[in-house]
Amino acid sequence: MNLYEIARVVLRILYTLLFRLKAYGVENVPREGGVLICSNHISVLDPPTLGIYVPRRLHYMAKSELFKFKPFAALITALGAFPVKRGGVSKEAIKTSLQLLRDGHAILMFPEGTRNSDASSAKRGAALLAIRSGATVVPCRIVGGYRLFRRTHVIYGPPVDLSPYADGTDGEALDQATELIMQRIRELQVG
């Protein structure tokens, strides 16, 4: 058992006890092939929350500042993180993401790029990566926040069909694909 798997087991127990975490629709996450899990982003607790029930290792972008302290950088790298420079286009993060997706890995992304409670605005990055790599996009939503001993829900929805946008990566197509991803995230409800 590696560090990622140990962390997943320990965090699943802690989150279930502390936040009464319950996951729905995990079967919507393909077990093989490139997968882009796109979620709303409400807390720094979101990355582990979204990964502890998924039956495969998730990779995710983390702000480059987190990689400055070498021991912490080693830890989060072992847990699937890779750096992204904020405030502009991070060509290295895009290159890493595309390679991971093309190699059949799963990546967690927050299309809004930062924490936002209402999932109202998003950047084009997730749509661009999905279209260029051909990865399956699984929308996800965290509902309920992280209040101690109150239920937090994670809902994994059916894959989003981006095939109508597969031929183009121009601005309009990316905007439409991005809006479709965000719409699917907003539509996810408990029950």
Side-chain angles (χ1 to χ4, degrees):
M1 196 178 253
N2 63 34
L3 180 61
Y4 186 90
E5 293 165 346
I6 293 168
R8 181 170 35 199
V9 170
V10 170
L11 289 173
R12 182 183 296 188
I13 293 167
L14 285 175
Y15 278 42
T16 300
L17 293 172
L18 297 177
F19 306 119
R20 298 182 56 217
L21 184 65
K22 185 162 175 84
Y24 307 87
V26 175
E27 68 278 1
N28 288 317
V29 180
R31 292 184 177 256
E32 296 179 351
V35 175
L36 193 57
I37 295 177
C38 295
S39 179
N40 64 324
H41 193 11
I42 60 173
S43 168
V44 296
L45 300 174
D46 294 345
T49 299
L50 295 165
I52 60 178
Y53 283 101
V54 173
R56 58 189 291 186
R57 181 186 175 110
L58 295 183
H59 298 271
Y60 56 96
M61 294 179 194
K63 60 185 178 180
S64 59
E65 294 84 2
L66 295 175
F67 291 84
K68 289 182 179 177
F69 182 60
K70 298 295 182 196
F72 188 69
L75 174 65
I76 62 176
T77 299
L79 295 174
F82 58 94
V84 60
K85 292 179 184 170
R86 296 177 2 150
V89 176
S90 178
K91 290 179 183 176
E92 193 59 38
I94 291 171
K95 184 178 173 184
T96 299
S97 298
L98 283 172
Q99 191 61 55
L100 284 166
L101 292 169
R102 288 176 178 150
D103 288 346
H105 295 282
I107 294 180
L108 167 62
M109 278 193 76
F110 302 105
E112 298 162 294
T114 189
R115 290 185 299 279
N116 185 352
S117 62
D118 64 0
S120 61
S121 62
K123 297 178 174 30
R124 297 175 176 172
L128 176 71
L129 290 173
I131 291 168
R132 284 195 181 169
S133 69
T136 300
V137 175
V138 175
C140 187
R141 185 164 180 214
I142 300 168
V143 179
Y146 296 95
R147 293 192 175 99
L148 287 178
F149 311 114
R150 297 180 117 185
R151 179 75 69 195
T152 300
H153 304 273
V154 179
I155 309 141
Y156 300 89
V160 179
D161 180 12
L162 294 182
S163 61
Y165 312 103
D167 291 336
T169 53
D170 66 349
E172 185 176 338
L174 287 175
D175 286 343
Q176 291 172 352
T178 299
E179 179 50 37
L180 180 59
I181 292 168
M182 294 308 295
Q183 178 183 338
R184 294 293 185 264
I185 292 169
R186 288 189 295 266
E187 289 173 352
L188 294 172
Q189 301 293 326
V190 176

